[in-house]
C-alpha cells in the first residue's frame, strides 16, 4: 500500500507581507518535502492557508479604517501571489474565515467540553475605554522601566530586550487609540492542559522518537512539561473570530491559537470534502508539520491536547496527531532581525521585484536553513552561493555536458550496455548511484539542508568525471568511449534534474526542456533511460551577479532598516541620565551553581549564582551561545546592584558580564576563574542603579583587552581579557 503523507506548514498570519525568514521556516521547507513525497509516488497532501482571526487583525483593520474581512482579503491575495512566485506547491492555500472552519471548530469545542476538559475562570486584561475593547499585551506601549525606551510594548522592550507586562510600563497607552488603558477582570474559558499532561507526556516520549522530531521541538516541549502545564484560555473579548457556542459567551470568540491549528483540518475539508476524515482520522496517514521555533508549543502540546480532549479515549485519540515535527530556528537579515512591526529585511514582494529568479532564493534560503541555530541571510552570501555553487558547480556541469553533446555528437546519446563500460565508467556510475541513495535517505529523514549539500556533492562527482574522461580528446582517439561517456554524463544530468526538483523546480523544468525529455520522478534515478536520444539546445541556467549589483541590492533594501534606525534614535531622545562613575557599580565574583532554561523564554537561562554572602538568581540571554553544562560552576563577574527586573514571570537580581562581536554572532562570558567567589571590586557603589544608568558606562573589548570608560579595566592590578571575542561591546 502506498504511503499517505499529510504535510502542513504553519498558517501565516495575514496582517502583513511574509519575509524570507517566514518563507524558509515554514512554507519553503514544507514545499521541499512535499515535492520529494510526490516524487516518491506517495499519496501526498500539502495543506496551508491564511490564519485570519485574532486581536492583530481586528486592531490593524481599525487602524486602516477597513473591516477585518477586507483586511484579510487584501493580505490573502498578497500572500498567495508571493507563494506562487516562489513556486510553493500547495495542494490548497485555504482560509480560516470560511464557514466550514467555523463549523469544524465549534464542533470540536463541543466534544472537548462534553469530555470535561473546559474550565471557566476570571483574568485581568488591559482595556481601552475609548475603543471599547480588550487589548493584547503587545498593543500596549509605554516607557520601558529598565532603559527608558519610550516605545516599549507590553510584552517586551525592543531596545534592551527585557520581557515586560503592561502593568510594568511607565505611562502605558493603547497603541490603537492613544488612551490610557484600564485593567479589568473578564471571564474566560480554559483548556485543562494540566489534566491532559500525563497523556501528552506519554505520547510525546513515544512519538518524538518514532517520528524523529527536531531537537529544538523536543527540548522546548519537555521544558513545558518540566514546568508543569497550566490551563490555557481559549476565549477572547473580540468581535472578529469564531463565535463560542456557549451561553454567557455570546460577545466573545475563540482565542486564535485554539482555532488556527484546527484550520489544518478545515482547509483539508475545503480541498477534498468529506474525505478529509481519511486524512485526519484514518490511521494510515502520517502527519508532517513544519514551522519556526516560536510555534513549537502550539503544535507539540496545545493542538494535540485539543484533539485528545475531543476524543473518547485520550490514550488512543480519534485524530491523527503529528508524526514528524520539523522546527527551524530563526533566519536573520544582514546581522539584524526581520521584523514585521519595524519593517526590517527583505520581504516577499521585495524578492519578486529584485530581478533574481525564485530558484536562486530557494537555493540560498535552503542553504542557510536554520536547522540547529539562528543563521543569516546576506546579499554577499547570496552572491557566493549563486556564483560559486549554482553556476560554477551545478550549472557548469549541466551546460558543459549538454553543449558538448550539441557540438560534437549531433545532440545524440548512444546505446549502452553497462557490462561493456570500462572500469572507470563503471566506478563513476556506481559512485553516482550510491551517493544518490544517500541523498534520498536524507530527504526521507527530512534532513533538507544536508540533502541539498549532498546534491551539490553529486554534481561535483559529475564534473570530476567529465574532467577525468576528457571527451574532448577521446572523441578523436576513442570515439566509442567518448560516446559512452557522454551518454553517461547526459543521464547524470537527467538524474540531477530529477533530484533538484524539490529544491529548484523551475530549474528542473528547464533542464528537462534542454534534454528534450519528459519530466521524470525518483523512480528513474540511476537508470540510463536517455539512450539513443536526441537532446535539445543547451542554454545557461543561471546568470552571474557582480559586486556592484550586490551593493546596489544591499542599499536598495537597507532603506527600511535605516528608516527604522533613525526613528528609533529619535524615540530614544529622553531626559538626560547622569552618567555613572565606575565606582558606582558593585562588581562581584559569583559562581553559577545551578542553571536551567526559562520555561517561557527560549533564549533565556535562569542561573542560580553564589556570590559569597547569598545566592541570587540571574537571567541571561545565553541560550544558543552556551550549553547549560558549559556554564555550570563557571565563575563570572556580576553587576550586583542592578535594579531587579522581571522577565516572563521570573526575577533577575543582577547581570553577568559578557562580551560579544560587533555582528552579535559570538558571545563570551567574562571569566573570573582567577578570583575568589564573593570578591567585590567597588569603592563606593550606589545602593541601586537601573539598566539605563549602567549603559552610560562604556565597557568594551579591544584586541582581547577589556576597557572601562576607555581605561584598562583592572582588577587586582591585572587587566581583564577575553579569549574568543577580539573586539566588541560588553553587556
Amino acid at each position: 500500500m502506498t504511503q499517505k503523507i499529510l504535510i502542513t506548514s504553519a498558517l501565516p498570519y495575514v496582517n502583513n507581507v511574509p519575509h524570507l525568514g517566514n518563507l524558509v521556516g515554514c512554507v519553503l521547507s514544507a514545499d521541499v518535502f512535499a515535492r520529494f513525497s510526490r516524487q516518491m509516488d506517495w499519496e501526498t497532501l500539502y495543506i496551508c492557508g491564511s490564519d485570519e482571526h485574532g486581536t492583530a487583525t481586528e486592531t490593524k483593520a481599525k487602524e486602516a479604517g477597513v473591516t477585518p474581512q477586507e483586511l484579510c482579503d487584501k493580505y490573502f491575495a498578497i500572500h498567495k501571489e508571493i507563494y506562487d512566485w516562489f513556486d510553493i506547491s500547495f495542494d490548497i492555500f485555504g482560509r480560516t474565515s470560511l464557514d466550514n472552519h467555523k463549523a469544524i471548530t465549534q464542533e470540536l469545542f463541543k466534544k472537548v467540553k462534553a469530555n470535561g476538559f473546559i474550565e471557566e475562570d476570571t483574568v485581568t486584561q488591559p482595556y481601552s475605554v475609548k475603543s471599547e475593547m480588550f487589548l493584547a499585551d503587545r498593543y500596549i506601549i509605554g516607557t520601558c522601566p529598565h532603559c527608558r525606551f519610550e516605545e516599549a510594548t507590553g510584552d517586551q522592550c525592543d531596545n534592551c530586550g527585557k520581557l515586560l507586562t503592561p502593568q510594568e510600563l511607565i505611562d502605558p497607552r493603547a497603541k490603537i487609540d492613544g488612551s490610557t488603558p484600564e485593567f479589568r477582570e473578564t471571564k474566560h474559558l480554559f483548556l485543562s492542559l494540566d489534566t491532559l499532561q500525563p497523556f501528552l507526556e506519554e505520547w510525546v516520549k513515544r512519538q518524538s522518537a518514532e517520528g524523529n522530531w527536531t531537537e529544538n521541538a523536543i527540548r522546548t516541549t519537555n521544558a513545558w512539561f518540566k514546568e508543569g502545564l497550566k490551563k490555557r484560555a481559549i476565549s477572547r473579548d473580540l468581535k472578529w473570530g469564531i463565535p463560542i457556542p456557549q451561553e454567557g459567551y455570546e460577545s466573545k470568540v475563540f482565542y486564535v491559537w485554539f482555532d488556527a491549528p484546527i484550520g489544518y483540518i478545515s482547509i483539508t475539508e475545503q480541498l477534498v470534502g468529506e474525505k478529509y476524515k481519511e486524512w485526519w482520522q484514518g490511521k494510515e496517514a502520517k502527519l508532517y508539520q513544519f514551522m519556526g521555533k516560536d510555534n513549537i508549543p502550539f503544535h507539540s502540546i496545545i493542538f494535540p491536547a485539543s484533539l485528545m480532549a475531543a476524543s473518547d479515549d485520550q490514550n488512543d485519540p480519534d485524530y491523527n496527531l503529528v508524526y514528524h515535527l520539523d522546527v527551524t530556528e530563526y533566519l536573520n537579515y544582514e546581522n539584524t532581525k526581520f521584523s514585521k512591526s519595524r519593517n526590517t529585511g527583505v520581504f516577499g514582494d521585495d524578492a519578486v521585484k529584485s530581478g533574481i529568479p525564485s530558484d536562486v532564493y530557494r537555493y540560498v534560503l535552503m542553504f542557510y536553513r536554520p536547522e540547529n541555530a539562528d543563521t543569516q541571510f546576506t546579499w554577499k552570501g547570496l552572491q557566493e552561493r549563486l556564483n560559486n555553487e549554482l553556476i560554477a558547480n551545478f550549472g557548469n556541469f549541466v551546460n558543459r555536458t549538454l553543449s558538448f553533446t550539441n557540438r560534437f555528437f549531433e545532440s545524440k546519446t548512444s546505446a549502452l550496455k553497462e557490462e561493456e563500460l570500462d572500469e572507470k565508467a563503471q566506478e563513476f556510475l556506481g559512485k553516482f548511484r550510491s551517493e544518490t541513495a544517500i541523498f534520498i535517505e536524507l530527504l526521507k529523514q527530512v534532513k533538507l539542508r544536508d540533502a541539498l549539500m549532498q546534491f551539490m556533492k553529486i554534481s561535483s562527482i559529475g564534473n570530476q568525471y567529465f574532467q577525468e574522461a576528457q571527451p574532448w580528446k577521446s572523441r578523436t582517439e576513442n570515439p566509442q568511449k567518448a560516446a559512452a561517456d557522454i551518454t553517461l554524463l547526459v543521464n547524470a544530468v537527467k538524474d540531477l534534474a530529477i533530484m533538484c526538483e524539490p529544491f529548484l523546480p523551475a530549474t528542473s523544468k528547464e533542464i528537462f526542456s534542454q534534454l528534450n525529455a519528459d519530466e521524470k520522478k525518483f523512480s528513474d534515478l540511476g537508470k540510463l533511460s536517455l539512450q539513443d536520444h536526441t537532446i535539445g539546445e543547451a542554454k545557461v541556467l543561471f546568470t552571474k551577479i557582480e559586486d556592484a549589483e550586490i551593493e546596489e541590492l544591499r542599499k536598495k533594501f537597507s532603506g527600511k532598516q535605516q528608516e527604522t534606525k533613525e526613528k528609533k534614535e529619535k524615540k530614544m531622545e529622553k531626559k538626560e541620565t547622569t552618567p555613572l562613575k565606575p565606582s558606582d557599580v558593585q562588581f562581584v565574583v559569583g559562581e553559577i551553581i545551578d542553571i536551567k532554561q526559562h520555561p517561557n523564554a527560549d533564549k533565556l537561562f535562569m542561573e542560580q549564582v553564589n556570590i559569597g554572602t547569598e545566592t541570587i538568581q540571574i537571567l541571561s540571554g545565553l541560550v544558543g551561545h552556551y550549553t547549560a553544562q558549559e556554564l555550570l560552576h563557571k565563575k563570572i563577574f556580576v553587576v550586583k546592584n542592578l535594579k531587579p527586573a522581571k522577565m516572563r514571570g521570573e526575577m533577575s537580581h543582577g547581570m553577568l558580564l559578557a562580551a560579544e562581536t560587533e555582528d552579535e554572532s559570538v558571545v563570551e562570558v567574562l571569566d573570573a576563574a582567577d578570583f575568589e567567589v564573593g570578591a567585590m571590586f567597588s569603592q563606593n557603589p550606589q545602593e541601586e542603579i537601573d539598566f539605563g544608568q549602567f549603559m552610560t558606562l562604556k565597557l568594551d573589548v579591544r584586541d582581547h583587552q577589556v576597557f572601562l570608560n576607555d581605561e584598562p579595566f583592572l582588577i587586582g592590578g591585572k587587566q581583564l581579557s577575553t579569549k574568543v571575542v577580539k573586539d566588541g561591546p560588553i553587556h
Side-chain angles (χ1 to χ4, degrees), residues 7-13 22 25-28 30 46-51 79 83 90 93 260-261 264 288-296 298-299 326:
I7 300 166
T8 71
S9 164
L11 305 185
Y13 203 62
N22 300 139
C26 301
V27 295
L28 180 55
Y46 177 16
I47 303 297
C48 193
S50 53
D51 176 6
H79 275 251
Y83 301 142
F90 304 123
F93 186 70
Y264 297 129
Y288 288 71
Q289 297 198 286
F290 292 79
M291 68 211 65
K293 62 183 176 182
D294 53 330
N295 264 315
I296 293 172
F298 301 107
H299 292 79
D326 202 277

Side-chain angles (χ1 to χ4, degrees), residues 394 397-399 401-403 405-406 411-413 486-498 507-520 524 529-539 541:
F394 177 40
F397 173 59
V398 173
N399 188 257
T401 298
L402 301 190
S403 61
T405 307
N406 288 154
S411 301
K412 295 179 180 177
T413 62
I486 284 299
T487 299
L488 279 178
L489 291 166
V490 167
N491 277 275
V493 168
K494 176 264 298 179
D495 280 7
L496 288 172
I498 296 170
T507 303
S508 177
K509 287 180 183 292
E510 174 59 26
I511 296 173
F512 275 113
S513 175
Q514 294 182 29
L515 286 169
N516 189 32
D518 294 335
E519 295 176 39
K520 301 182 185 299
D524 199 72
S529 52
L530 297 186
Q531 299 187 44
D532 287 326
H533 176 77
T534 301
I535 68 169
E537 180 186 354
K539 298 176 183 176
L541 292 175

Side-chain angles (χ1 to χ4, degrees), residues 300-312:
S300 68
I301 293 177
I302 295 171
F303 184 41
S306 300
L307 298 180
M308 283 182 176
S311 303
D312 293 333

